Amino acid sequence: MQDVRIRFITRLSARNQLPWNRGLFSFSGRQSLWAACLLMAFCAVLAGCLPPPQATAPAPGLTVLLSGSSPAFAGVQREIGKKFPQRVDTYTLDDESLYPAVQKKIQASDPPVVVAIGLPAARLAQGLSGKKVIFCQVFNYEDAELVTPWMKGVSATAPIREQFRAWKALYPKLTRVGVITGTNLQGLMEEARAAAKENQIMLDHVEVRSDKETLYAYKQLSPKIQGLWLVPDNRVLSQDVIRDIMAHSVKEGKQVAVFGRELLGLGGLISAETSYADIAEQVLARVRRAQEASGVPGAPVIPLTRTVIKINTVMAKRLNMTLPASLRGMDYAP
Amino acid sequence: MRPECKSIGKSWFERLNDISFWRRIMPGLGGRSLVSRLLALLTLGAVMVYLIVNIGLWWTSSRLIEDNLEKQAVRWLAELDDLGTPLYASHGGKQLANIDKHIKHFPEIAFIRYYDASGTKVLGEAGEVRGADIPLLKPQQVERLQQQPAGAERNYLVDRSLLSGAYLRFISPIRVKSIRSDGLLNFSLENEKEETEKIVGYIDLSIDSGYYKEQMVRSMASGSLIIAALLMLGLFFGSRMIRRALAPLTELQAPLARLARGEIDVNVERAKDVEIAVISDALNTTISALKQRDEMLQKMAESDPLTGLVNRSYFARALGEEIEQVTRDGAESAVYFIDLDKFKQINDTYGHAAGDKLLIRVAELLKSQVREKDVVSRLGGDEFTVLARGISREGAMDLANSFNKILREMHVTEGEHIFSINCSIGIAMINPGRHTTDEILSHADTACFASKSQGRNCYHMYEERGDSKTEVAVDTGWFKRIQQAIKEDRFVLVYQPIIDNVDSGKECYEVLLRMPGPNGELVLPSIFLPVAQRFGLMTDIDRWVMVHAMKALADFRAAGRDIILSINLSGQSLEDKSLLQLIMDQMTLNRLPPGCVIFEITEQSALRHLENAKYLIQGLRATGCRFALDDFGTGFSSFVYLKNLPVDFIKIDGSFVNSMAQNSIDETMVLSIIHIARSLGMKTIAEFVPDEKTITMLKASGVDYLQGFYVGVPSERLPTSLRVVSDTKKNAG
């Protein structure tokens, strides 16, 4: 089997059309974005609400708070460090007993904006006053009630539309997909439903409260669906359940869209991963806007723009699927 | 009615309880038998092994069942955990029907219960056994489960106390896990992610372990029956086989039983088995040895140890057979009674060793004169008998003559001495059917006596009509009369006074024996005592005298006569070890002070039975009795013996006293004896004092006591007064 990786990066620009949150979109050109911004600015001026443009003061630095030393956090922090021109103060939360001290330090620090990477960092950053916080790598931000006018984030999941599009391209007959999550994921589910609708896929969503229920619900749901979109909701997943789900899927011949290529080896069909660089870019974009505003403007969570798609060719062959030309380069043989 | 017939009609249970039934199957049952013991041991061993195996099996199986149930329960718990998820699902559960359906295939599952997270509220139940009988979880149980670490190998509790152990109860927590918040970022199954666990409920599963145990009990019961049947079969065949194997041993029973009964003409067949062959060989060897010993004992019982000749009993038997033979054939045979002349004198002069040598020589010579078929025996002492078969009267006399001649010509050397001996022979022809063994012997004895009377060193043929005095003297009727006299107390005791030279007031009498004759006359001891001696009746006579003399003494003393009695003991009595105890018992019985009895033994008897005499003398003197040595001076004994015989009195033989007044040698003998006795601290009694002159001489010589017809005659009644020594008149009777 060919072991050739072709990375296909789809550059995405977020279209923030409405104040309510719409998921992430995938379309080309930054022009639309700039056009939208200019339009808003003009309207604000006309309305007399827009303050006269001010000269952008030089950025006062950035504080980055990591939840731990995990690559998922360090990677993002590294990208931020590469892309942010000013000073970046980095704090890592390794020892829970040091949280108050860290919080105090950050509170006393100069940078007005704090980037919290991971849920523990975001929770700690919640306690900061007078600081604007951009969080990322937090999946259950709704459950954690992180979003406030001065605390908003960047999506932790890869753009769903792209996932579903690739999945549909791989299996055009895909019409019914199940998804099992915990509670308080409305934003994600709205994005997912929109992406599903766009790709003529019916999405069956089941809310559960534990990993045990996840497995049970999947077994109940399995006969009705063609595939499962496995969402990385840690609240309702455990390693055992993940294995059981994957084993059940393979046994039942179900397609599973997973959130990491590691799961392709357990029988996943298609995986969608985020990119640290993409996360960093979106974070910095929000940082810059936050630096210019009193709060953190924009949607509670902005989507990412890029998805790394991998397709398990073994599973695809087993499920009698043929990799279309458009998806060449995404094949992956675990 | 035979036992088998009795069994018919009995129930099988009655037959099993009938011991005869079992004995027919297993002979030896009930008795002590090697086979039974072997079988019993084997059976016991088998039963023990069976019990141990069964107990072990039961225990092991119970443990295995419980372990297996536990393992099965763990699997069921996992399955029920899954099946029970709807109870904890977001929308509530309606899936208990699935659980019932699932557990229907497992009859050992008694019930299942699901609890909420607190462990107090029941969310659902399933199983055959439900309801209030099953207690809820205890708070301690819930707490224990909560404290158990999540990854523990055994994350459940086992409760064996439910319904007195009828059920095994397993209680397991239902846990839910969630990966930590960043666990799914850069997800990899290789890295163990920290997960959060939470208990959302409990499963309560009870298993009826009795189900399997019941199955096991049934299996064990049926197995036990089979094993019992096999055991019985094994016992039956085992007993047969053991009997067959032990047959060589059991075959030894019959010859051993015969051996035990004393039969020694037993032959034990040599067994083919090596081990038993050793036993049978040993038995045969033993039997041979027994036969030899029997023959030797027989020989010893029938022979004289000194001369090797047959003894009296053998001779009597041979004579009896010869009498029958003669009666049948009408032939003639002769019996010889041979008595050596003056053998005692030679014995006393040259010693017993010389006497024995002489006897052996005589035996050899007698045997040399007879034929093979003739029998020579030694009756005892110096008496021999010969049975000459098939011999005429003339031939018998010739043979007797040859006996006389050969003995006359015989010389025996003992040291420096050469001596010879003659014999007196009595011949009695065996007349067919006319006389018994004893009578013929008595005839020969009578004839021998006649031969002695005729001067010895000759023979005399017994004739039917002989001297009446001789007949009276030696007729075997005397034997019976003596026996009768002993049995019917017909003997008469007479008392002859012994006068104390110093203290005439003391009364002392010698006890003498008389026997009523066939005509009512009193027969002297010299007539019947030899017969008694010959027929071994002296011990009985002595005992009779002892008993009656002591009783008489007690009566005399009770009547106010403080007398002393002197009682004679024969040489044969000295060999009676029980005599001492008899005397002591009689003295105690009659309450006699020891000093009132004196015992007399002749010098010859004492020397002949020296050790026995010393034993008796010492024994009786220890009690206070006194001893006198009778007929002293006639035995040619050395005065050395006097030192060893602890006697109190020496009775000077009458032959010296009777003629001391006329014979200076006798006077010297008497004086010497008195002197020596005095020097040894002994007192002297002079017997057969004939007259006053002798009394004067004896008094002058210092003799202590006087006895004799002149001093006092023997009488049945004690004299009213004793002769005073100084008074020369005869004692009034």
Side-chain angles (χ1 to χ4, degrees):
Chain A
M1 226 176 154
Q2 288 184 348
D3 187 15
V4 177
R5 288 186 183 181
I6 301 175
R7 182 170 294 196
F8 177 75
I9 299 173
T10 305
R11 290 184 176 268
L12 302 170
S13 59
R15 176 184 291 177
N16 207 359
Q17 296 175 352
L18 296 167
W20 57 85
N21 193 18
R22 280 193 178 264
L24 295 172
F25 299 102
S26 171
F27 62 90
S28 63
R30 193 179 290 181
Q31 278 183 330
S32 299
L33 176 64
W34 284 112
C37 291
L38 283 171
L39 184 62
M40 283 173 68
F42 181 71
C43 290
V45 167
L46 286 178
C49 299
L50 190 67
Q54 294 176 3
T56 306
L62 185 65
T63 301
V64 175
L65 180 59
L66 284 77
S67 294
S69 307
S70 163
F73 306 139
V76 172
Q77 181 269 335
R78 195 168 46 247
E79 291 297 324
I80 290 173
K82 280 183 198 171
K83 292 175 174 18
F84 191 73
Q86 279 80 40
R87 189 181 89 246
V88 176
D89 295 332
T90 303
Y91 297 89
T92 304
L93 297 176
D94 290 322
D95 188 352
E96 202 167 326
S97 63
L98 298 175
Y99 282 18
V102 170
Q103 191 179 49
K104 197 173 171 184
K105 232 182 216 180
I106 296 172
Q107 184 68 61
S109 65
D110 292 331
V113 182
V114 176
V115 173
I117 306 176
L119 182 58
R123 284 195 200 278
L124 189 138
Q126 254 183 334
L128 297 169
S129 64
K131 300 279 185 184
K132 294 167 229 179
V133 179
I134 310 296
F135 61 83
C136 63
Q137 297 289 54
V138 177
F139 183 80
N140 297 314
Y141 62 90
E142 286 166 291
D143 201 42
E145 295 175 346
L146 294 178
V147 175
T148 63
W150 53 86
M151 184 167 181
K152 292 184 182 149
V154 171
S155 177
T157 52
I160 303 171
R161 179 180 286 168
E162 198 55 37
Q163 284 187 61
F164 283 5
R165 196 164 67 82
W167 195 353
K168 188 79 176 185
L170 176 62
Y171 188 64
K173 292 180 187 173
L174 183 71
T175 56
R176 194 162 178 182
V177 168
V179 60
I180 303 169
T181 69
T183 55
N184 276 342
L185 284 176
Q186 289 86 353
L188 179 70
M189 291 318 301
E190 278 181 22
E191 184 187 344
R193 281 191 203 97
K197 190 175 176 184
E198 242 185 69
N199 292 282
Q200 291 92 45
I201 296 170
M202 188 165 80
L203 196 64
D204 283 6
H205 177 221
V206 177
E207 274 192 353
V208 295
R209 294 174 300 181
S210 66
D211 63 329
K212 193 179 294 299
E213 288 179 43
T214 300
L215 182 60
Y216 177 78
Y218 177 53
K219 287 180 180 174
Q220 298 296 310
L221 197 58
S222 175
K224 303 175 201 168
I225 56 176
Q226 291 163 302
L228 174 73
W229 176 41
L230 187 63
V231 168
D233 186 353
N234 67 287
R235 297 172 299 168
V236 296
L237 286 177
S238 61
Q239 286 200 308
D240 292 335
V241 162
I242 291 173
R243 283 180 213 271
D244 289 341
I245 286 173
M246 299 312 297
H248 183 78
S249 302
V250 170
K251 194 169 126 188
E252 298 294 320
K254 299 295 175 186
Q255 304 168 34
V256 183
V258 295
F259 50 82
R261 69 186 70 183
E262 187 74 24
L263 292 171
L264 294 179
L266 289 182
L269 177 64
I270 180 169
S271 69
E273 293 170 312
T274 59
S275 154
Y276 296 148
D278 187 22
I279 296 170
E281 283 169 17
Q282 301 312 310
V283 164
L284 288 174
R286 285 211 101 155
V287 166
R288 278 190 281 276
R289 283 202 295 278
Q291 283 172 340
E292 294 165 1
S294 58
V296 179
V301 168
I302 59 172
L304 296 173
T305 60
R306 296 196 284 275
T307 304
V308 178
I309 301 282
K310 292 291 173 193
I311 296 171
N312 185 351
T313 52
V314 174
M315 201 63 199
K317 189 176 175 185
R318 188 169 169 202
L319 294 173
N320 298 319
M321 294 177 192
T322 310
L323 208 65
S326 59
L327 298 180
R328 295 273 161 83
M330 296 182 190
D331 54 334
Y332 179 81
Chain B
M1 193 178 181
R2 295 189 319 176
E4 298 90 307
C5 297
K6 278 188 181 175
S7 296
I8 294 172
K10 283 187 181 177
S11 68
W12 65 271
F13 184 72
E14 286 172 340
R15 276 185 222 170
L16 287 175
N17 280 325
D18 185 2
I19 188 67
S20 61
F21 170 71
W22 292 106
R23 282 189 177 148
R24 285 199 301 281
I25 295 174
M26 291 183 278
L29 182 68
R32 189 177 170 86
S33 123
L34 188 61
V35 174
S36 305
R37 271 194 288 163
L38 274 171
L39 284 175
L41 280 171
L42 284 172
T43 307
L44 188 66
V47 168
M48 294 285 291
V49 168
Y50 169 76
L51 283 174
I52 291 169
V53 165
N54 260 349
I55 290 168
L57 197 64
W58 172 263
W59 185 82
T60 310
S61 300
S62 298
R63 294 296 297 262
L64 271 173
I65 287 172
E66 283 195 6
D67 285 347
N68 280 338
L69 280 176
E70 194 169 323
K71 285 179 185 140
Q72 185 64 40
V74 169
R75 284 196 287 275
W76 282 329
L77 284 170
E79 288 173 13
L80 291 169
D81 193 333
D82 283 339
L83 288 171
T85 302
L87 293 170
Y88 305 92
S90 307
H91 303 296
K94 295 175 188 175
Q95 308 293 332
L96 278 179
N98 281 343
I99 297 175
D100 272 321
K101 195 173 156 187
H102 181 76
I103 66 174
K104 204 167 71 173
H105 302 290
F106 307 104
E108 53 268 43
I109 294 179
F111 78 88
I112 302 159
R113 196 181 270 168
Y114 290 91
Y115 294 85
D116 66 350
S118 66
T120 56
K121 184 179 168 191
V122 175
L123 299 178
E125 281 184 335
E128 291 292 325
V129 180
R130 304 188 193 195
D133 289 341
I134 312 299
L136 296 178
L137 294 185
K138 297 175 193 167
Q140 305 92 297
Q141 290 172 324
V142 173
E143 197 178 324
R144 269 183 69 188
L145 287 168
Q146 286 172 348
Q147 285 168 358
Q148 270 180 353
E153 189 180 336
R154 192 177 167 176
N155 59 347
Y156 55 88
L157 292 180
V158 182
D159 180 4
R160 289 181 168 83
S161 64
L162 187 62
L163 295 180
S164 306
Y167 294 122
L168 271 178
R169 191 181 191 182
F170 295 86
I171 307 162
S172 171
I174 300 172
R175 298 178 196 270
V176 292
K177 298 180 195 175
S178 59
I179 299 175
R180 71 176 187 194
S181 58
D182 64 339
L184 294 176
L185 299 171
N186 284 121
F187 179 75
S188 170
L189 286 167
E190 298 294 325
N191 302 325
E192 284 292 323
K193 300 291 180 186
E194 197 177 303
E195 294 181 337
T196 310
E197 282 201 16
K198 189 171 72 171
I199 294 176
V200 296
Y202 300 91
I203 299 177
D204 186 353
L205 167 67
S206 285
I207 297 172
D208 183 8
S209 60
Y211 174 78
Y212 288 110
K213 286 186 180 171
E214 200 181 309
Q215 298 292 325
M216 190 169 72
V217 165
R218 280 205 197 108
S219 301
M220 286 176 77
S222 53
S224 297
L225 281 174
I226 294 170
I227 289 170
L230 288 173
L231 194 65
M232 294 303 297
L233 209 61
L235 274 175
F236 177 72
F237 286 109
S239 75
R240 289 275 182 276
M241 287 168 65
I242 290 174
R243 277 184 209 291
R244 188 173 291 180
L246 293 177
L249 260 180
T250 53
E251 282 167 9
L252 293 174
Q253 269 182 318
L256 281 172
R258 286 184 59 200
L259 210 60
R261 284 197 295 270
E263 301 171 31
I264 56 174
D265 58 336
V266 175
N267 182 42
V268 178
E269 201 177 315
R270 191 167 199 273
K272 291 172 190 162
D273 300 301
V274 169
E275 298 85 356
I276 312 300
V278 172
I279 297 174
S280 57
D281 286 346
L283 274 173
N284 281 329
T285 306
T286 305
I287 291 168
S288 300
L290 281 173
K291 279 182 183 169
Q292 286 172 9
R293 194 185 68 176
D294 202 43
E295 286 166 7
M296 191 176 70
L297 286 172
Q298 187 86 7
K299 198 175 170 187
M300 283 172 66
E302 292 177 346
S303 64
D304 172 47
L306 177 64
T307 61
L309 298 174
V310 299
N311 60 10
R312 179 194 292 268
S313 64
Y314 183 89
F315 186 84
R317 192 166 63 246
L319 179 57
E321 289 167 5
E322 185 61 21
I323 291 170
E324 287 173 10
Q325 186 72 32
V326 164
T327 305
R328 279 196 301 270
D329 300 343
E332 284 184 307
S333 296
V335 170
Y336 297 80
F337 197 105
I338 303 170
D339 190 304
L340 301 181
D341 296 332
K342 296 192 179 177
F343 173 76
K344 283 191 180 61
Q345 196 168 332
I346 293 173
N347 215 25
D348 294 340
T349 305
Y350 299 104
H352 291 283
D356 289 347
K357 199 170 169 183
L358 175 68
L359 290 171
I360 293 169
R361 184 77 183 121
V362 167
E364 288 169 359
L365 288 172
L366 290 176
K367 273 193 80 87
S368 70
Q369 296 301 301
V370 299
R371 300 159 292 178
E372 279 286 331
K373 61 180 179 179
D374 297 335
V375 181
V376 181
S377 84
R378 180 183 171 213
L379 279 189
D382 60 349
E383 295 171 348
F384 296 83
T385 53
V386 176
L387 171 63
R389 293 189 167 106
I391 195 168
S392 64
R393 191 182 174 86
E394 290 72 28
M397 288 194 284
D398 288 340
L399 184 60
N401 196 34
S402 71
F403 287 152
N404 277 134
K405 183 171 181 291
I406 199 164
L407 287 183
R408 201 182 307 129
E409 291 170 355
M410 177 197 73
H411 296 283
V412 174
T413 306
E414 181 66 19
E416 297 172 345
H417 306 286
I418 301 171
F419 53 89
S420 61
I421 198 162
N422 301 323
C423 64
S424 301
I425 303 173
I427 312 169
M429 297 305 293
I430 298 175
N431 296 316
R434 287 191 63 185
H435 298 288
T436 63
T437 306
D438 289 339
E439 286 170 351
I440 293 173
L441 269 173
S442 173
H443 292 165
D445 189 11
T446 303
C448 179
F449 185 81
S451 170
K452 281 194 182 292
S453 304
Q454 286 166 13
R456 298 189 167 90
N457 193 23
C458 61
Y459 64 86
H460 182 80
M461 176 69 75
Y462 178 80
E463 301 296 343
E464 284 287 343
R465 294 175 185 273
D467 180 64
S468 60
K469 189 174 178 184
T470 306
E471 283 186 9
V472 167
V474 298
D475 190 357
T476 52
W478 275 108
F479 172 73
K480 293 179 184 170
R481 284 196 204 101
I482 293 169
Q483 279 189 320
Q484 198 175 8
I486 293 170
K487 191 176 171 186
E488 295 174 6
D489 289 341
R490 292 186 64 198
F491 283 117
V492 177
L493 293 180
V494 297
Y495 309 95
Q496 185 178 30
I498 301 173
I499 306 298
D500 189 339
N501 261 340
V502 175
D503 183 0
S504 60
K506 278 192 184 172
E507 285 189 79
C508 183
Y509 299 88
E510 182 179 353
V511 178
L512 301 171
L513 190 65
R514 299 290 181 266
M515 180 177 158
N519 301 321
E521 74 285 11
L522 284 182
V523 180
L524 294 173
S526 58
I527 302 298
F528 62 87
L529 284 186
V531 177
Q533 199 163 3
R534 184 175 301 124
F535 286 98
L537 295 175
M538 286 309 299
T539 307
D540 295 332
I541 290 175
D542 284 350
R543 281 175 174 261
W544 190 95
V545 170
M546 194 74 58
V547 170
H548 288 82
M550 290 202 182
K551 186 173 183 318
L553 179 57
D555 292 340
F556 288 140
R557 291 177 67 81
R561 299 290 287 267
D562 183 15
I563 67 169
I564 298 169
L565 286 185
S566 182
I567 304 171
N568 286 283
L569 294 176
S570 69
Q572 286 182 8
S573 290
L574 289 177
E575 294 180 6
D576 184 0
K577 296 290 183 191
S578 64
L579 181 65
L580 176 61
Q581 190 61 44
L582 171 70
I583 293 170
M584 289 166 68
D585 290 344
Q586 288 300 314
M587 302 234 358
T588 304
L589 181 68
N590 292 288
R591 296 200 186 109
L592 297 173
C596 68
V597 178
I598 298 171
F599 291 97
E600 294 185 23
I601 52 174
T602 64
E603 181 195 6
Q604 288 183 23
S605 296
L607 292 177
R608 196 171 295 154
H609 309 280
L610 185 61
E611 290 304 317
N612 291 341
K614 279 168 69 175
Y615 169 75
L616 184 65
I617 293 169
Q618 282 166 353
L620 287 172
R621 288 190 83 225
T623 64
C625 296
R626 290 177 287 178
F627 253 88
L629 202 59
D630 198 5
D631 297 340
F632 187 82
T634 59
F636 301 96
S637 58
S638 168
F639 281 108
V640 171
Y641 286 113
L642 272 184
K643 283 203 306 185
N644 297 323
L645 285 175
V647 298
D648 302 282
F649 304 93
I650 289 179
K651 292 186 89 172
I652 306 167
D653 190 69
S655 61
F656 299 125
V657 175
N658 197 24
S659 58
M660 69 178 286
Q662 292 83 31
N663 190 318
S664 61
I665 295 174
D666 289 341
E667 182 188 2
T668 305
M669 286 297 292
V670 170
L671 292 175
S672 300
I673 292 170
I674 293 169
H675 181 71
I676 289 169
R678 193 177 289 158
S679 67
L680 291 174
M682 301 173 186
K683 293 196 175 173
T684 49
I685 303 171
E687 292 184 300
F688 290 91
V689 175
D691 50 34
E692 197 63 37
K693 184 180 178 186
T694 305
I695 291 174
T696 305
M697 291 173 73
L698 286 169
K699 184 183 170 190
S701 63
V703 77
D704 299 294
Y705 298 90
L706 302 170
Q707 183 182 356
F709 270 61
Y710 183 76
V711 175
V713 296
S715 171
E716 288 182 55
R717 293 194 300 270
L718 298 181
T720 51
S721 63
L722 289 176
R723 177 188 176 82
V724 177
V725 175
S726 59
D727 193 344
T728 56
K729 290 181 185 174
K730 283 193 179 177
N731 194 27

